[in-house]
Amino acid sequence: MANNDTKAFGLWSAIFLGIGTMVGAGIFVLLGEAGAIAGNLVWISFIFGGIIALLSGYSLAKLAIAYPSRGGIVEYLVQGYDEGIFSGSLSVLAYLSATISIAMVAKTFGTYAAAMGGYNSHIWVDLYSIGILLLFMVVNLAGSFWIAKSENLIVVVKLSIIVIFVVAIFPHIKPTLLSLQDAPPIINVFSSIALTFFAFEGFRVITNTVEEMKNPSETMLKSMILAILIVMVLYVAVTFAVFGNLPLSEVIKAQDYALAEAAKPAFGETGFILISIAALISTASSINASLYAVTNIAYQMAKNGELPEIYERNIGHSTEGLVVSTVLLIIFVLFFNLTQIAAAGSISILFIHAFVHIGHLFKIKQTGASRVMVWLAIVSIVLAIGLALNYTSKHIPSIGYIVAGGFIFAFILEVLLRLTTHRVVQKQTVSVAP
């Protein structure tokens, strides 16, 4: 392993990577959807989603320190449930869910880019979506050093724009729009937690950097907690800014670009354009950071026998898995409607986190984690899943079948891969400097 002086990720590089992954889908994709459920109380939902993310992040950080591996969450599943079809199936599902999430964000980038250019055609949306995916494939092929450096710059720019927006818009907030008289039933707040947690979900990307992190025993947990807390404060502030300036009916109508629409009352069309630019930067940043993690997941799955050998062969400083993952993303962008898949994806991600933390209980002595904290993570996630399924099934009756189908597909794919590659899952960890 390289010494600490040559490693790409220090405390703030890791924090910026986590923020870059989280702030993208959270603000520009899910704010309107969560708001449609929780109304002007959606800020409470973001706090609860952040608390679950903190509990989950604690568990993942402890696992990352005990089992350092570029595979991140895939490695923890193998460690918790040993080398078998069950852990393999969950690993496949984790990879597919992460890929769908990136495709959703890429589609959002394409929508904003096409709207700013005055093009409403699906062809232009797809072209912009594919273009940004190909751009960051090249950036990621340059190696983790350039990922860290480019992410630092992108995060600073987009956070500056969003913070300026929040500060400038707060004097224009109308308290009546935030009144409890117009609030939906409190159960709706809890029913939207799956979506708001999904807005934080990118925090797990930080664990993928452990092999290239300076002093991971000190940096991992600290960077995880700080990244989530920073994003939680940002989400709550933005929520007040949006719902304090737009009636709920307008937020729902403009849910795909609610943040940009909220800038209109104070700044007119100029504000709309500036926030749209911030949306482009944020979604691009999220794609950049997420591609790094998905490539590492693919790499780890190949080493463990979860995907074909093509993922192991190197291109430049990264893996051929990056190219294959990008091709898969382009297929999602071109041929799939991501609305229902996004809903199922948020619930599937919660299931994966729950299984990871349950597996963590089997290794609690090795990680030195607090059993209470891990149990709190499990219980809060299970409750969020139940509430989300209960609410979503009323609007998307097939949601339960979609989620179950995802598990079945992952299991079948896992069995087929084992039969065709004749591989056995192996635990893969490395030694890192303390």
Side-chain angles (χ1 to χ4, degrees):
M1 290 297 297
N3 61 48
N4 278 327
D5 292 334
T6 61
K7 290 184 177 180
F9 290 94
L11 175 63
W12 285 104
S13 290
I15 289 173
F16 285 157
L17 183 67
I19 293 173
T21 313
M22 286 185 276
V23 181
I27 290 295
F28 300 104
V29 179
L30 299 172
L31 178 62
E33 292 188 26
I37 300 172
N40 59 9
L41 296 182
V42 71
W43 63 273
I44 300 176
S45 180
F46 273 109
I47 290 176
F48 278 111
I51 291 171
I52 296 176
L54 286 169
L55 292 169
S56 187
Y58 169 84
S59 177
L60 291 182
K62 287 294 187 179
L63 285 165
I65 295 168
Y67 305 107
S69 167
R70 293 204 302 169
I73 206 167
V74 175
E75 179 64 30
Y76 316 144
L77 288 168
V78 178
Q79 291 288 346
Y81 299 102
D82 291 324
E83 304 164 353
I85 290 179
F86 183 70
S87 60
S89 300
L90 290 177
S91 299
V92 172
L93 185 64
Y95 171 73
L96 293 174
S97 298
T99 305
I100 291 171
S101 298
I102 299 174
M104 180 180 69
V105 179
K107 200 85 168 183
T108 303
F109 177 93
T111 301
Y112 271 94
M116 285 189 65
Y119 306 110
N120 295 319
S121 168
H122 290 297
I123 296 175
W124 281 102
V125 171
D126 290 344
L127 284 175
Y128 281 120
S129 301
I130 293 169
I132 196 65
L133 288 171
L134 293 175
L135 172 63
F136 282 116
M137 180 188 74
V138 174
V139 171
N140 277 257
L141 287 174
S144 59
F145 176 82
W146 292 108
I147 297 168
K149 294 302 180 184
S150 63
E151 191 59 31
N152 289 353
L153 177 61
I154 291 173
V155 171
V156 168
V157 171
K158 75 175 179 181
L159 285 183
S160 298
I161 295 175
I162 294 174
V163 169
I164 291 171
F165 161 77
V166 170
V167 172
I169 210 76
F170 253 74
H172 300 275
I173 286 178
K174 303 175 184 66
T176 54
L177 294 177
L178 299 172
S179 170
L180 293 178
Q181 292 180 345
D182 299 323
I186 193 66
I187 189 65
N188 285 22
V189 174
F190 296 103
S191 298
S192 66
I193 289 176
L195 284 172
T196 54
F197 173 80
F198 197 34
F200 290 93
E201 209 278 325
F203 66 83
R204 66 188 175 93
V205 168
I206 298 174
T207 64
N208 294 97
T209 70
V210 66
E211 291 187 36
E212 298 166 22
M213 178 178 283
K214 300 172 183 176
N215 302 316
S217 60
E218 297 180 5
T219 304
M220 178 58 69
L221 182 57
K222 189 181 296 184
S223 61
M224 185 79 74
I225 299 302
L226 285 174
I228 295 170
L229 286 175
I230 290 170
V231 171
M232 188 193 301
V233 171
L234 182 67
Y235 283 171
V236 171
V238 169
T239 300
F240 277 119
V242 172
F243 285 83
N245 274 276
L246 292 177
L248 179 59
S249 59
E250 291 188 30
V251 172
I252 295 173
K253 182 179 178 181
Q255 66 182 36
D256 290 338
Y257 49 91
L259 196 60
E261 191 69 20
K264 276 187 175 181
F267 305 106
E269 199 64 32
T270 300
F272 182 90
I273 293 172
L274 287 175
I275 298 304
S276 295
I277 291 172
L280 294 178
I281 296 173
S282 293
T283 49
S285 170
S286 182
I287 294 166
N288 179 35
S290 298
L291 267 179
Y292 176 76
V294 169
T295 301
N296 281 322
I297 289 173
Y299 174 84
Q300 188 67 27
M301 291 171 75
K303 289 175 71 175
N304 284 342
E306 300 308 325
L307 288 174
E309 288 187 8
I310 187 171
Y311 283 87
E312 283 190 354
R313 297 199 291 271
N314 290 332
I315 295 180
H317 297 285
S318 192
T319 66
E320 198 165 323
L322 177 59
V323 177
V324 176
S325 296
T326 304
V327 170
L328 184 59
L329 283 165
I330 291 173
I331 292 172
F332 281 135
V333 165
L334 288 175
F335 298 105
F336 289 89
N337 182 332
L338 297 178
T339 302
Q340 288 185 327
I341 298 176
S346 63
I347 296 172
S348 298
I349 286 291
L350 279 168
F351 269 112
I352 291 166
H353 277 267
F355 280 119
V356 169
H357 304 320
I358 292 170
H360 189 174
L361 291 174
F362 302 136
K363 300 290 182 178
I364 204 82
K365 291 183 179 179
Q366 289 87 334
T367 65
S370 165
R371 191 179 295 271
V372 172
M373 293 287 283
V374 177
W375 266 112
L376 284 173
I378 295 168
V379 172
S380 61
I381 287 173
V382 170
L383 287 174
I385 291 172
L387 289 165
L389 282 172
N390 179 64
Y391 182 89
T392 308
S393 62
K394 298 173 184 177
H395 303 274
I396 308 177
S398 60
I399 187 66
Y401 298 105
I402 294 172
V403 174
F407 277 95
I408 293 171
F409 175 76
F411 176 79
I412 293 173
L413 183 58
E414 165 65 10
V415 172
L416 291 175
L417 288 169
R418 285 175 178 269
L419 290 174
T420 56
T421 63
H422 304 291
R423 286 187 170 188
V424 177
V425 180
Q426 296 179 354
K427 299 172 183 177
Q428 301 285 333
T429 58
V430 299
S431 59
V432 296

